[in-house]
Amino acid sequence: MNELTRRDEMSLAGAALRGAPWKTAAITGAAASAASFVMAIIAGEASLTGPMSLGIGLFALISAIGAIRRPETGDRVTRQARLWALRHPWRFSLYPALGAATLMYPVQLILDGEGVFGAALDSLQGGVLIYLITALMALTFRGRGQRSLPHGR
């Protein structure tokens, strides 16, 4: 059995994310960030760190889940990559989670002022949450991928 390298897995995850609902993810992330910031101001806390991390997290979740939600759409390469993602939800979920944690790190570092290690821990926690949610959602969509496979595979 041929094992995939990390580079191959990253390419498959990227191909699976092709055609993700980027616009919807961006609008939802921005709206959630704005709403969360307004709520923080009302509560007396004018911090941008939490609202921005929430927006980044929602952006990553919606794009990743939206990409694999319908594995039968897209071109042949995209369909095969999405089927791989549904067969390997824990591996696929690693890449959107790493992307989100990478985006959250500078937000935490610059805006929160907790230092290098505190920012790393906070962004890692956000990445783990995105990892778990994305993988669990991919597991629930797994049946859709099984219907898309040709018979005998």
Side-chain angles (χ1 to χ4, degrees):
M1 185 154 99
N2 294 335
E3 289 294 317
L4 296 175
T5 64
R6 287 282 181 207
R7 187 177 200 165
D8 295 336
E9 287 180 0
M10 191 181 318
S11 295
L12 282 168
L17 288 168
R18 192 178 352 168
W22 299 111
K23 191 178 203 180
T24 303
I27 291 170
T28 304
S33 288
S36 180
F37 184 64
V38 168
M39 298 285 281
I41 289 174
I42 292 171
E45 301 174 21
S47 173
L48 278 174
T49 307
M52 287 185 73
S53 293
L54 174 68
I56 292 168
L58 280 175
F59 173 78
L61 283 172
I62 291 170
S63 59
I65 294 168
I68 60 173
R69 182 177 54 126
R70 291 182 289 179
E72 68 279 351
T73 60
D75 61 12
R76 183 183 61 82
V77 173
T78 303
R79 286 192 312 266
Q80 288 178 343
R82 287 176 179 168
L83 291 173
W84 171 84
L86 290 172
R87 285 191 298 266
H88 305 284
W90 298 103
R91 290 182 186 171
F92 166 73
S93 299
L94 181 64
Y95 298 99
L98 284 174
T102 302
L103 291 173
M104 285 180 199
Y105 180 72
V107 170
Q108 296 287 338
L109 182 64
I110 295 168
L111 297 178
D112 206 15
E114 288 186 15
V116 176
F117 296 111
L121 182 60
D122 288 346
S123 61
L124 180 65
Q125 289 173 345
V128 167
L129 186 61
I130 291 165
Y131 175 71
L132 291 173
I133 293 170
T134 305
L136 292 173
M137 291 301 294
L139 283 171
T140 63
F141 294 147
R142 192 178 242 174
R144 295 177 186 192
Q146 297 300 324
R147 288 190 305 251
S148 299
L149 289 173
H151 294 293
R153 291 192 184 197

